[in-house]
Amino acid sequence: MPSLHIGLLGAGAIARAHLPGWLALGARVSVHTVDGSAHGLAAEYAARGHDVRAVRAVDTLDALLADATAVDVCTPTHTHKELALAAVAAGRHVVCEKPLALTAHDAEQLASAADAAGVRLHPAHVVRYFPAYAALRAAVGRGDLGEPAVLRFTRGGARPRWAPWFGDPARSGGIIMDLMVHDIDIARWLAGDVVRVHARTRGVEHATGAPAEVVTATAVLTHASGAVSRAEGLWGLPDQRFRTTFRVAGADGLLHHDSTAVPGFRVTAQGTRAPGEAIPAGPMTESPFLAELREFAASWGPRGPEPRVSTRDGVEAVRIAEAAVESSRTGRAVELPRTEGAAR
């Protein structure tokens, strides 16, 4: 793999999950944050014994863009569009944390800009790289279950309290766009395009700093194939254990998984989340973030393989989640036109 110089935007939990992956790939990483926390992150890695040239802080976005091979956007969702567009305009490949943007219009704009500039735009839908979900996809692809008919996904844990923007749906998109977009993406990956969405949210998503009430949401997706997916999300109390499950049934079989049944890879963020909180994962031998980033970087060569998640996948995940948010707001189902490039 050619020498990599990554411009990392952000120093929070996701940036701290991505950074070890880039270093494992032999990349040099320049980090920029608007609040100066990039300097603390660089100092932390130097204190761990890393070469000071491996992770360095830069004070401006222009300095980060100057000679980076690619830019990794790990900032709050409402900043994704502006930062990704700046990176694309500089001719850099972009890895952008999910969701790509808060609206399908903005996600489409990002996709069009990257296409026009001839650079890659990678939506970081890391759940596709978790072994249980990758195995599920492989089983469906082999026809082990027959055509998927009924799919159910759950995902939930303690309500995010480590950064105020999570509690503002105008900046995070709320529980559907921020949390459930993972399972919305997986549902489309397995069962194809979604043509109808009906969703409901319970609880108040706006957090004011006081102990927040529990928020739950349910989205029922009807696929063009006739399959039906149900995704459930939970932002719970501070002691709520993170858990994900799936049950996928077809005419020939059923596959199910519960993340609490087996130990898994665990990323504990330092200085950005409440004590003891971590980014959870399923059973695996390496970080799914490393697997994801390796696949993205490999695609940058002239004959590089296509990653398992495409720009279009990221756009469609936002489109479906946005429709679910609208359905939850109005109480009515939202019809979606079938798009080009079915997921399967």
Side-chain angles (χ1 to χ4, degrees), residues 26-124:
R28 292 184 298 116
V29 182
S30 296
V31 188
H32 172 63
T33 57
V34 295
D35 63 0
S37 57
H39 290 275
L41 183 58
E44 178 185 315
Y45 269 77
R48 294 183 190 177
H50 288 271
D51 188 326
V52 294
R53 294 168 295 182
V55 183
R56 67 185 184 98
V58 294
D59 292 324
T60 67
L61 178 60
D62 287 343
L64 180 138
L65 295 174
D67 60 350
T69 308
V71 173
D72 189 351
V73 180
C74 294
T75 56
T77 301
H78 66 285
T79 68
H80 287 181
K81 178 185 174 183
E82 179 183 358
L83 294 173
L85 284 176
V88 166
R92 307 301 180 224
H93 301 301
V94 176
V95 178
C96 185
E97 255 307 315
K98 62 78 197 165
L100 275 180
L102 286 172
T103 68
H105 176 271
D106 286 353
E108 287 279 13
Q109 187 176 349
L110 284 177
S112 296
D115 187 58
V119 299
R120 293 273 193 169
L121 173 63
H122 302 287

Side-chain angles (χ1 to χ4, degrees), residues 245-264:
T245 71
F246 63 67
R247 292 180 65 87
V248 177
D252 298 331
L254 166 72
L255 281 176
H256 58 90
H257 168 70
D258 186 330
S259 66
T260 62
V262 287

